[in-house]
Amino acid sequence: MKRYNPIPRIVINLLVFFIVLAILVPIVWMYFGGFKTDTILFSSPWAMPQSFSFRNFVVAWNFCIGGNILNSIIYTVIGTAITVLLSSFAAFATVRFSFCLKAQYFVFIISGMMVASQSALIPIYKLLMSIHLYNTRIGLILPYVAYRIPFSFFLLWTYFSVLPIDVEESAYLEGAKIHQIFFKIVFPMSKAALITAIIESSRYIWNDFAFALVFTEDPSLKNIPLGLFALRSTTHTNWTVLLAGLGLSAVPMIVVYLSLQKYFINDVNAGSVKG
Amino acid sequence: MTTIYKDKKILLFFTIPAFAFVALFIFYPSIMNFYYSLFRWASYSKKMKFVGLSNIRKLFADAVVWKAFANNVLYAVYSLVFQVCGGLVLAHVINLYLSERFARFSRVILFIPAVVSITAIGLLWMIIYSPSVGFLNPLLRLVGLGMIATDWLGNKETAMRAVIMVSQWQYLGEMVMLFTVGLQNVPKEIYDSSRVDGANGIQTFFHITIPMIKENILMNVTITIIGAFMVFDEVYVMTSGGPGRATEVLATLLYKTGFRMDKMGYASAISVLLFVITFLLSIIQLRTFNVKFKEGKEK
């Protein structure tokens, strides 16, 4: 790489540095803001917090996040588990079994990716009303699962379709049952794809706003994004509490991402390893 | 094809649940949208008055719908310029001009906003844009751009673009990541040999990067356009479509029409419009997929 002219390199490095800074500054400002008092925030947006007290974070936690975090966890964990399990079943069957209309089945599931979930708000609302699942946890989880299946299915299908079959066959000859083969052999072999599917699905469900807004009514069923939105309407002028709440809500995702980014980036690299 | 997998019971057990979910919550609702748009109805009454295509007709004559549609188009245009073009150039230069360490670091940082919920990001920027406590206006004054400082989200002229810029900020890193995936497949030697042949940086970008990851670019263009028509959270959280109708997009309009004004039939007609637009765009995307698919097979 030494052949490159150094001047553009320095300029480009500086440019990238400034873009990285522009991404980072609002996030850092948000966390500092959580420690400030409103008077300080109003005096100057650049003022430093006088003390690092967690008062605002406690208020934000008590008001919305504490009550909603459990819901968010329930929706995300159960929704993702069902999504990945059902997608892997369907993807595996599409790869390994032969059945009539297989191509049509494949296209049908994949086409689910083509529908904007917002365009289905009204009919799903009506459907949930009619089966008496409107404003219930399960009623919210069902559409989550449905809208995450197509992508997970596609991802796992791509992975399963290049999986060598010999290991499964020899296990079968040794008397293993199909379900044992699936959970004891195929699953462990597909860890990378499963992790990607889990991350993608969790990210969507954890951050969802629209479905939760429309399909639930009770404050006790709210997830974190809805809680933040409520916090905004009640803390009209209490900006620092809102900033603390936003910062708090972002912590789990940022921590999970930063601790998994090694795999994530490796995953990006893994995508380039083609046979 | 092997014969160890032929148990019909297991096959049904594996294929039916996923099918049922997709059929019941994705395809059935899409069909029902068309049906519901033929009636005048409200969510809390059993009465549904058949009005035929009058909702759809009203839609095309409704200035607010066109305003929302135009805002979605604006969203798409800005996203193509900033996220796709910007992300592509950025992924390219990070790949070629940065040290391995700084490249890795900047990709990791750039992606952070994409993992935070749109709701939180939207509310954060609502505060940053605020004329009383936000830091954007003071920052502009600091660098001598004080004359453009304004109440970004409260000003009809700037509100839509202010909301759009938040999305650009949030998803730039994700785009860079997606392009990086494509660029990993381009051997570094190609770049090196083009240097030897005397190509400059700009030529390298246009003659190597773009042709080498054409499918990848096409894919991201369609994803971005579709995403621009699906926008809901950030607009609803920051402005709820206001001031006036300045930031109305199709999804916020259908939500407000249906769940606030309880004009469910008309809202269903807007849903149909949104569905048709995104579905058509997605078909184009699937075509792109197919191109990739075939190419992959040939290799």
Side-chain angles (χ1 to χ4, degrees):
Chain A
M1 300 304 277
K2 287 191 183 69
R3 286 185 298 272
Y4 284 95
N5 186 344
I7 309 254
R9 282 203 76 157
I10 293 165
V11 172
I12 284 170
N13 270 277
L14 269 176
L15 202 70
V16 174
F17 174 76
F18 274 113
I19 292 172
V20 169
L21 210 60
I23 297 290
L24 217 47
V25 165
I27 295 171
V28 173
W29 187 80
M30 166 175 76
Y31 282 105
F32 271 116
F35 289 105
K36 294 174 192 172
T37 57
D38 274 342
T39 18
I40 292 179
L41 192 67
F42 273 99
S43 69
S44 151
W46 307 118
M48 276 289 144
Q50 280 170 321
S51 66
F52 280 91
S53 95
F54 283 90
R55 208 171 38 91
N56 289 327
F57 292 90
V58 173
V59 174
W61 174 270
N62 290 340
F63 178 84
C64 75
I65 297 184
N68 304 135
I69 193 164
L70 192 60
N71 286 330
S72 274
I73 291 172
I74 291 172
Y75 301 147
T76 307
V77 171
I78 298 180
T80 301
I82 301 175
T83 300
V84 174
L85 203 61
L86 297 186
S87 313
S88 62
F89 285 167
F92 188 74
T94 315
V95 171
R96 288 282 189 255
F97 285 80
S98 45
F99 53 97
C100 66
L101 298 181
K102 188 154 98 165
Q104 285 80 352
Y105 179 84
F106 178 83
V107 170
F108 180 81
I109 304 272
I110 296 291
S111 310
M113 277 194 260
M114 299 160 68
V115 179
S117 56
Q118 291 86 344
S119 72
L121 287 174
I122 292 168
I124 294 179
Y125 164 79
K126 194 105 170 106
L127 175 68
L128 292 173
M129 278 286 203
S130 65
I131 53 179
H132 301 294
L133 287 177
Y134 169 72
N135 198 26
T136 62
R137 284 204 174 88
I138 187 77
L140 179 58
I141 291 173
L142 292 176
Y144 280 154
V145 171
Y147 279 86
R148 299 310 346 136
I149 281 180
F151 178 77
S152 288
F153 169 87
F154 182 72
L155 190 80
L156 293 162
W157 176 86
T158 3
Y159 198 86
F160 290 154
S161 55
V162 294
L163 214 59
I165 198 166
D166 356 345
V167 188
E168 296 160 47
E169 278 175 335
S170 52
Y172 183 76
L173 292 176
E174 282 166 25
K177 294 271 179 294
I178 300 285
H179 64 89
Q180 287 170 318
I181 292 176
F182 187 76
F183 287 110
K184 293 223 166 88
I185 296 169
V186 177
F187 249 52
M189 271 164 63
S190 323
K191 212 149 81 190
L194 288 169
I195 287 177
T196 312
I198 289 169
I199 290 175
E200 273 305 298
S201 159
S202 310
R203 197 176 110 189
Y204 271 92
I205 301 177
W206 180 267
N207 292 337
D208 164 77
F209 177 80
F211 275 11
L213 179 72
V214 175
F215 305 142
T216 62
E217 226 170 3
D218 280 355
S220 66
L221 299 177
K222 276 191 170 46
N223 64 1
I224 292 174
L226 284 184
L228 292 175
F229 194 59
L231 184 66
R232 175 218 150 160
S233 355
T234 46
T235 55
H236 280 307
T237 46
N238 206 338
W239 297 108
T240 50
V241 169
L242 182 55
L243 282 170
L246 298 175
L248 214 49
S249 80
V251 166
M253 271 327 218
I254 293 179
V255 168
V256 168
Y257 162 67
L258 289 180
S259 54
L260 286 179
Q261 55 92 5
K262 265 204 188 72
Y263 304 98
F264 199 74
I265 306 252
N266 284 346
D267 217 37
V268 167
N269 291 332
S272 64
V273 181
K274 273 208 191 109
Chain B
M1 227 30 220
T2 106
T3 52
I4 71 167
Y5 294 111
K6 51 180 191 294
D7 187 332
K8 279 276 179 287
K9 275 205 202 81
I10 292 182
L11 174 66
L12 291 177
F13 180 76
F14 271 22
T15 50
I16 286 181
F19 177 86
F21 266 101
V22 173
L24 194 62
F25 288 96
I26 302 184
F27 285 97
Y28 170 75
S30 305
I31 295 161
M32 288 313 278
N33 256 335
F34 285 90
Y35 174 77
Y36 289 145
S37 72
L38 302 174
F39 296 85
R40 182 176 299 131
W41 59 286
S43 57
Y44 285 106
S45 77
K46 284 265 180 282
K47 275 211 303 268
M48 288 182 83
K49 186 173 176 297
F50 183 80
V51 292
L53 292 177
S54 87
N55 279 328
I56 303 272
R57 263 203 301 277
K58 215 160 57 178
L59 194 78
F60 285 103
D62 189 341
V64 178
V65 172
W66 286 110
K67 171 73 186 169
F69 178 76
N71 278 338
N72 281 119
V73 172
L74 194 71
Y75 227 109
V77 171
Y78 269 76
S79 299
L80 287 176
V81 172
F82 287 93
Q83 266 174 67
V84 180
C85 298
L88 180 60
V89 172
L90 198 55
H92 169 86
V93 301
I94 287 176
N95 191 34
L96 284 191
Y97 297 85
L98 267 56
S99 65
E100 193 58 47
R101 248 176 136 179
F102 186 34
R104 189 175 270 274
F105 169 80
S106 54
R107 283 186 202 123
V108 169
I109 299 291
L110 287 172
F111 196 80
I112 288 177
V115 301
V116 181
S117 74
I118 300 177
T119 317
I121 296 290
L123 291 171
L124 169 63
W125 277 89
M126 190 188 79
I127 302 171
I128 292 173
Y129 281 136
S130 136
S132 53
V133 292
F135 71 72
L136 186 65
N137 286 343
L139 184 67
L140 289 170
R141 287 188 198 102
L142 203 69
V143 296
L145 288 170
M147 63 286 186
I148 66 162
T150 174
D151 176 3
W152 294 95
L153 294 174
N155 178 341
K156 274 198 166 106
E157 296 304 310
T158 55
M160 192 67 230
R161 272 165 288 171
V163 172
I164 290 173
M165 287 322 283
V166 175
S167 287
Q168 309 316 307
W169 177 85
Q170 182 169 12
Y171 291 116
L172 180 68
E174 184 156 22
M175 260 313 152
V176 168
M177 199 68 100
L178 289 171
F179 282 125
T180 303
V181 176
L183 288 172
Q184 304 283 356
N185 295 326
V186 184
K188 277 275 201 304
E189 298 80 54
I190 299 186
Y191 287 114
D192 289 343
S193 63
S194 86
R195 298 289 314 167
V196 176
D197 295 344
N200 65 27
I202 292 166
Q203 286 169 324
T204 312
F205 177 73
F206 283 104
H207 293 292
I208 298 174
T209 292
I210 291 185
M212 286 299 274
I213 60 167
K214 208 165 62 225
E215 274 78 29
N216 194 291
I217 294 169
L218 247 149
M219 186 76 194
N220 292 339
V221 165
T222 39
I223 290 176
T224 304
I225 297 173
I226 294 164
F229 279 94
M230 289 193 188
V231 165
F232 174 78
D233 300 12
E234 48 272 67
V235 177
Y236 189 74
V237 163
M238 278 191 264
T239 62
S240 295
R245 295 283 191 183
T247 56
E248 205 72 81
V249 287
L250 287 172
T252 53
L253 185 63
L254 90 84
Y255 172 78
K256 289 198 294 199
T257 308
F259 295 95
R260 295 262 205 85
M261 293 149 69
D262 213 1
K263 293 183 183 165
M264 285 290 187
Y266 193 44
S268 299
I270 301 171
S271 305
V272 169
L273 179 67
L274 184 60
F275 169 79
V276 169
I277 294 169
T278 47
F279 202 78
L280 286 179
L281 290 169
S282 299
I283 288 176
I284 300 168
Q285 187 193 336
L286 223 58
R287 288 257 162 105
T288 318
F289 246 129
N290 270 340
V291 173
K292 267 180 97 166
F293 202 65
K294 282 194 196 106
E295 296 236 333
K297 277 202 167 151
E298 279 163 18
K299 268 172 196 161

